Amino acid sequence: MGEDSFAVGMVLRNEHGEFVMGKNLRMAGQVTVMEAEAHGVYEALRWVDDLRLHQVVIESDSSLVVQALQLRSSYFLKVGNILEACQGMLEHRSDLIVHHVKRHANGVAHVLAKMPCLIDCHNIFVSPPHCVLESLSVDCSSA
């Protein structure tokens, strides 16, 4: 991962916590950690919308991003635009919830984010890659 790009990893699970699908993507740009986390929530919201899923809980290990979305806080920094886009999407989807989880319960997303991916591209995983199998069991036992 270079300084001029950042990556996002997402995992879609069923109601039993089992892996359904994963996704990672890399975007060009230098961003703060909070901006990268906010982009992660935004991309998860877009993915859920693209898949036409309902009754979804989006989990993030960024308490700052989750609190900003739940409290509808305003930010005047670059992250504010991303948060406003997320809030706009959430306003139209009362069946979506953004929830905070501890980082150790979000390991699969972090492993997926570290997997190779070209800038401005994404990978979809319809079965769990070998490198996430251990994290899957840890995430499920931590939830």
Side-chain angles (χ1 to χ4, degrees):
M1 177 162 50
E3 291 181 16
D4 294 331
S5 68
F6 64 100
V8 171
M10 298 171 270
V11 61
L12 180 62
R13 300 172 186 269
N14 64 18
E15 63 274 10
H16 305 292
E18 299 164 333
F19 184 97
V20 173
M21 198 179 303
K23 182 176 182 178
N24 73 345
L25 54 101
R26 179 169 303 285
M27 292 177 264
Q30 293 181 344
V31 297
T32 65
V33 172
M34 187 169 178
E35 289 167 345
E37 295 287 350
H39 270 289
V41 172
Y42 176 75
E43 292 299 330
L45 288 166
R46 285 186 48 196
W47 194 30
V48 164
D49 199 50
D50 289 347
L51 295 172
R52 294 180 161 68
L53 299 176
H54 300 281
Q55 304 300 322
V56 176
V57 176
I58 295 172
E59 297 178 336
S60 171
D61 58 27
S62 173
S63 60
L64 289 175
V65 169
V66 172
Q67 286 174 354
L69 291 172
Q70 290 174 343
L71 299 174
R72 302 194 46 75
S73 301
S74 294
Y75 286 84
F76 298 105
L77 303 173
K78 185 177 175 183
V79 72
N81 295 331
I82 305 161
L83 293 171
E84 285 178 12
C86 291
Q87 289 166 340
M89 294 174 84
L90 288 167
E91 283 177 7
H92 294 35
R93 294 287 308 268
S94 61
D95 62 323
L96 301 180
I97 298 169
V98 178
H99 180 72
H100 177 258
V101 294
K102 296 192 182 288
R103 189 169 201 272
H104 66 271
N106 203 21
V108 174
H110 285 275
V111 172
L112 289 175
K114 292 178 183 175
M115 290 185 68
C117 186
L118 298 174
I119 293 177
D120 295 331
C121 289
H122 68 269
N123 297 309
I124 300 286
F125 304 94
V126 294
S127 62
H130 182 72
C131 61
V132 303
L133 295 178
E134 183 178 338
S135 294
L136 272 172
S137 62
V138 171
D139 282 7
C140 288
S141 64
S142 298

